[in-house]
Amino acid sequence: MEHAKYVRFEGTVRHPRGHFPGIFVLANELAAQGKLTDDQYRFWRSNNDWYDANYTNPTSVDPEIYDPRIHSGAVAWFKVTAQHLIKRVDGYLELLAAHGVEHRRLESSNPGRVIYEDADQVVVIPAEELSSA
């Protein structure tokens, strides 16, 4: 069996746009809704700032990358080689669990059609979106 090249952490409930939102979106929604405790908010803010400083946000390269009219269903996956980014995900998973937000870890060697790639991640149109287009 081939080893997965990519990993994604996402919710188990479809977003109104139709995709399964990633854990950063889910944590950001909790923060925006004022649901985080003070300690959770400090964790969320400092870790979001760390991620902002340590990897490329695909929207800074292509502001329309997640536009559903252009790239329906687009989602990001970490490359498994990006361990410096993946190892910090556990805190987000704990935060989501504390609020009863179900999530899952996915692994794949072919998560869909790549529309963006850098050293740490890919953004893809998942196979199920391609078949319904």
Side-chain angles (χ1 to χ4, degrees):
M1 181 170 177
E2 187 177 337
H3 287 91
K5 297 177 184 176
Y6 307 100
V7 63
R8 176 170 168 76
F9 302 88
E10 66 181 18
T12 60
V13 176
R14 285 194 185 273
H15 196 269
R17 273 188 26 211
H19 69 289
F20 292 98
I23 60 163
F24 298 119
V25 168
L26 294 170
N28 291 350
E29 288 176 350
L30 289 172
Q33 295 164 1
K35 294 183 176 180
L36 302 181
T37 66
D38 290 344
D39 285 344
Q40 289 171 338
Y41 185 88
R42 278 190 292 277
F43 164 84
W44 168 79
R45 181 71 273 149
S46 68
N47 279 277
N48 275 13
D49 290 346
W50 184 90
Y51 275 104
D52 288 346
N54 287 283
Y55 89 114
T56 303
N57 181 336
T59 60
S60 67
V61 176
D62 179 356
E64 297 177 332
I65 197 79
Y66 294 114
D67 185 327
R69 295 166 297 161
I70 299 168
H71 301 294
S72 178
V75 294
W77 290 67
F78 287 119
K79 292 181 176 179
V80 296
T81 55
Q83 288 299 308
H84 64 293
L85 301 175
I86 296 168
K87 70 182 179 184
R88 295 180 75 104
V89 165
D90 285 346
Y92 285 88
L93 300 179
E94 292 168 12
L95 185 138
L96 296 176
H99 290 273
V101 178
E102 293 187 24
H103 52 275
R104 60 188 168 205
R105 175 188 172 116
L106 303 174
E107 297 180 2
S108 178
S109 289
N110 184 17
R113 181 173 52 90
V114 175
I115 58 171
Y116 169 84
E117 181 171 5
D118 63 35
D120 299 312
Q121 66 189 323
V122 293
V123 176
V124 304
I125 305 298
E128 65 267 10
E129 294 295 327
L130 293 171
S131 64
S132 66

